[in-house]
Amino acid sequence: MGSGPLPEPGAAFALGETTHMARSRQPAPVPAATRAASQIPVRTRRAVLAAAGAAAATGGLAHLLGPGSSSATAQGPVARAATGSPQRATGPHAAPVAAGTTLTAASTPAGAPAGYRRLTEGPGWPRVLRTELAAADSRRADRRTVLASFVQFTDLHVVDVQHPLRYEYLRAQTNSAWRPQETLSAHGTVSLVERVNALRGGPATGAPIGFVMTTGDNTDNNCLAELDWFLTAMSGGRLTPGTGDPARYEGVQDSGLPLYWHPDAPLRDADKKLGFPQLDGFLAAATRQVNSPGLHVPWYSTVGNHDALPGGCYAAVDGRLAEIAVGDRKLMELPQSEGAALWKAVKEGRDPRAEAFTAMLRRHAAKARTVTPDASRAPLSRADYLRAHLDPAHEGPGPLGHGYTQANVAEDRLYYTFRISDEVVGISLDTTRRGGHYKGAIGAAQLRWLEKELKKHRDDRVLVFSHHTSGSTPEGGEALVALLCRHPQVVAWINGHSHRNRITPHGTFWEVSTASHIDFPQLARVVEVTDNHDGTLSLFTTLVESAAPARTDFGDLSQTGLASLYRELAFNAPGARTTLAGAPGDRNTELLLPRP
């Protein structure tokens, strides 16, 4: 489950070079593969995953600022990338490259603000200078050098929409339970990969993009098939975003239930009453094979609650959830009173072991739709998650493991340190709760490890990555902020989870939270770090959309056409929050901070 909406941050803005001079804001707390029999022992899941993997493309585009060395083994505490050499501090490049970013254009609705609205290419968003942590010297642009340049993906939510553990029937309680666009999540992810491949340099500095970091919720339901699709989309290859019967769709969108959009049927469902179109052939097109070129730069992975927990909130502590996940029953409707009670339990974290959830599914099994069993829907253990990343079939441009190493497997540890450049180190944290819950946590052991890493890298600049935000980590979040503040070499804490753009100053570093790629406006963020050689550093953030055109064509059900439709459906999703783009000072920015 994603977290709830966050309040709009207050800000003051001026025209021209937009400057944000708001007071420091504290974040508000916020609540295949094998087609098999209906049951599969958990111990066989790794074999299923190995059989399910598609061959990933291994070619990569040579890049000038690639992190790491030619070894994927850990070098002390720092994992190196598979290709290239560490990023090096460099002077001005050819020119900043704004094309393909939201500096030049952003998708926006056209026509009257009523009913289903088509998207078009609208004006870009300006860059906002924020000086809460340091003053700006007007000469900084003439002497700055680039320390790092990379892209953040977050909350991709690559989703198996036919999975029996999905709770679409809670749509009446929360719009995050089912979204009309979800069937096209793989298409949107591949289009985002295409956008990054097309970037010819940083939009602020012109420096080549060195790597991509995901900050969790790469998948939606802690499922083998979803993880395989995500890894294939990122590293290259072919994927088919459907489980169950390969010849037919078996999800809620052909169920005959008016709660869901039925694109292929004349049914006057709830979404068609709001203007959603009938698109004959949509479901067949959406579940066809998708081809991904894979990223042309190395990429790293951070775990989120939806990657680690079924439903993003349940601990798969025994075989009960696995039995239902790979089985032949999918519940698609639930009485209103039961749905309200279930959603309340999820929000309050009252059923972390899924005991009430599985009891409810069994109680309603006779009313559930019969679907084709599929072993690739099985939940993943932490070891499964790590081994899948370390599979050479998904290495792509590297590094092998995408930040994780065999040491992570041996130590059952999903956090690590990696070298970004000669002067910059990245630290990826694990803020998920093993015991279940969608909110984040960071325990004492990980905090001790992090403090040791920060002491080791006191002479580097440090970027910290996690899934959860400070405001969505009630256990350990305050301690983490305090720890980072005690180490002024920390430049930024970069995260996701909230599905909303928000940038918060924390005295000595910036917290950069980026919107998801499942909910509109479906964004990723380019981050460029520079030394201004005047006692300050600059952290440039620039948002990008996928490569798919803003305008859709209902007659175009190609891979690119479906990626465009993915964005437009997300904009029109009933109940979707309209504040996820954030304020101007949360989008395209230059964030100044003192150079320690």
Side-chain angles (χ1 to χ4, degrees), residues 3-206:
S3 62
L6 298 173
E8 286 285 357
F13 300 98
L15 297 176
E17 182 184 46
T18 313
T19 305
H20 183 136
M21 300 286 290
R23 292 187 179 91
S24 178
R25 299 168 294 173
Q26 295 301 316
V30 290
T34 304
R35 312 289 176 183
S38 63
Q39 297 183 17
I40 179 171
V42 175
R43 64 180 177 272
T44 67
R45 290 175 296 173
R46 287 190 292 275
V48 171
L49 181 60
T58 58
L61 180 67
H63 53 280
L64 300 177
L65 283 180
S69 70
S70 61
S71 173
T73 60
Q75 299 184 6
V78 183
R80 294 281 190 162
T83 59
S85 58
Q87 291 185 332
R88 300 182 183 278
T90 58
H93 288 263
V97 185
T101 77
T102 58
L103 288 168
T104 59
S107 297
T108 190
Y116 185 97
R117 301 181 70 185
R118 307 302 294 273
L119 293 182
T120 189
E121 189 175 278
W125 297 332
R127 190 176 302 284
V128 175
L129 174 64
R130 295 189 56 171
T131 57
E132 292 98 317
L133 300 185
D137 186 322
S138 61
R139 298 166 295 175
R140 66 192 183 282
D142 297 328
R143 53 196 179 199
R144 66 169 51 113
T145 55
V146 183
L147 304 181
S149 177
F150 63 95
V151 179
Q152 178 204 10
F153 287 2
T154 195
D155 296 84
L156 296 170
H157 286 273
V158 177
V159 56
D160 172 19
V161 295
Q162 300 176 76
H163 200 288
L165 289 182
R166 299 207 73 220
Y167 30 68
E168 296 104 332
Y169 40 79
L170 294 183
R171 189 186 190 193
Q173 282 70 43
T174 172
N175 68 291
S176 65
W178 183 77
R179 306 167 175 92
Q181 70 269 22
E182 289 174 337
T183 319
L184 304 177
S185 60
H187 304 76
T189 296
V190 171
S191 187
L192 188 59
V193 166
E194 292 170 340
R195 166 62 69 207
V196 173
N197 288 347
L199 293 175
R200 295 307 175 208
T205 67

Side-chain angles (χ1 to χ4, degrees), residues 111-469:
Y116 185 97
R117 301 181 70 185
R118 307 302 294 273
L119 293 182
T120 189
E121 189 175 278
W125 297 332
R127 190 176 302 284
V128 175
L129 174 64
R130 295 189 56 171
T131 57
E132 292 98 317
L133 300 185
D137 186 322
S138 61
R139 298 166 295 175
R140 66 192 183 282
D142 297 328
R143 53 196 179 199
R144 66 169 51 113
T145 55
V146 183
L147 304 181
S149 177
F150 63 95
V151 179
Q152 178 204 10
F153 287 2
T154 195
D155 296 84
L156 296 170
H157 286 273
V158 177
V159 56
D160 172 19
V161 295
Q162 300 176 76
H163 200 288
L165 289 182
R166 299 207 73 220
Y167 30 68
E168 296 104 332
Y169 40 79
L170 294 183
R171 189 186 190 193
Q173 282 70 43
T174 172
N175 68 291
S176 65
W178 183 77
R179 306 167 175 92
Q181 70 269 22
E182 289 174 337
T183 319
L184 304 177
S185 60
H187 304 76
T189 296
V190 171
S191 187
L192 188 59
V193 166
E194 292 170 340
R195 166 62 69 207
V196 173
N197 288 347
L199 293 175
R200 295 307 175 208
T205 67
I209 302 300
F211 67 98
V212 170
M213 167 60 85
T214 75
T215 52
D217 284 4
N218 309 310
T219 61
D220 189 70
N221 207 20
N222 177 242
C223 140
L224 292 167
E226 291 175 348
L227 182 59
D228 182 71
W229 302 342
F230 159 71
L231 293 169
T232 301
M234 296 288 284
S235 290
R238 300 182 179 92
L239 62 101
T240 303
T243 56
D245 188 338
R248 65 189 180 99
Y249 169 89
E250 298 177 309
V252 299
Q253 289 189 268
D254 70 348
S255 64
L257 298 171
L259 181 62
Y260 311 107
W261 176 48
H262 287 58
D264 288 88
L267 175 70
R268 187 72 173 160
D269 56 58
D271 295 295
K272 288 209 186 79
K273 290 178 181 178
L274 298 175
F276 274 65
Q278 180 173 334
L279 302 175
D280 295 335
F282 173 89
L283 291 175
T287 53
R288 283 198 301 258
Q289 187 178 83
V290 176
N291 299 318
S292 175
L295 287 164
H296 291 169
V297 295
W299 66 272
Y300 293 83
S301 189
T302 298
V303 67
N305 54 297
H306 279 264
D307 302 311
L309 305 170
C313 59
Y314 296 122
V317 294
D318 53 35
R320 290 175 301 170
L321 287 176
E323 179 182 348
I324 296 170
V326 303
D328 64 352
R329 296 287 174 176
K330 178 173 173 59
L331 187 64
M332 298 187 178
E333 59 180 335
L334 193 66
Q336 177 76 12
S337 59
E338 287 194 65
L342 177 59
W343 175 234
K344 184 176 181 181
V346 168
K347 288 194 298 181
E348 297 176 358
R350 290 193 280 106
D351 187 28
R353 295 169 64 91
E355 293 167 343
F357 179 57
T358 53
M360 180 277 294
L361 291 175
R362 287 171 175 162
R363 190 166 60 248
H364 290 281
K367 301 177 183 177
R369 179 178 181 174
T370 299
V371 296
T372 304
D374 193 333
S376 73
R377 293 170 175 158
L380 295 118
S381 69
R382 292 163 61 86
D384 292 333
Y385 185 80
L386 290 169
R387 289 191 179 100
H389 280 78
L390 286 159
D391 186 340
H394 295 306
E395 181 176 2
L400 180 64
H402 304 289
Y404 301 118
T405 67
Q406 290 297 339
N408 291 98
V409 179
E411 298 169 15
D412 187 24
R413 175 170 54 84
L414 269 64
Y415 45 90
Y416 61 90
T417 302
F418 67 107
R419 173 62 64 180
I420 291 174
S421 73
D422 289 346
E423 298 185 42
V424 183
V425 162
I427 299 178
S428 174
L429 301 178
D430 173 11
T431 55
T432 63
R433 299 197 196 195
R434 296 193 187 194
H437 206 306
Y438 68 92
K439 291 184 179 179
I442 184 164
Q446 189 173 177
L447 286 171
R448 287 193 298 270
W449 172 87
L450 175 58
E451 185 163 23
K452 290 179 181 178
E453 291 298 297
L454 291 174
K455 289 178 179 178
K456 290 177 184 176
H457 298 288
R458 58 171 56 89
D459 295 327
D460 287 301
R461 308 290 171 257
V462 176
L463 299 170
V464 177
F465 302 92
S466 75
H467 178 61
H468 292 87
T469 66

Side-chain angles (χ1 to χ4, degrees), residues 537-559:
L537 303 176
S538 286
L539 189 75
F540 291 93
T541 76
T542 309
L543 295 165
V544 295
E545 299 180 298
S546 78
R551 292 182 181 272
T552 61
D553 177 354
F554 288 160
D556 181 5
L557 298 181
S558 67
Q559 182 173 314

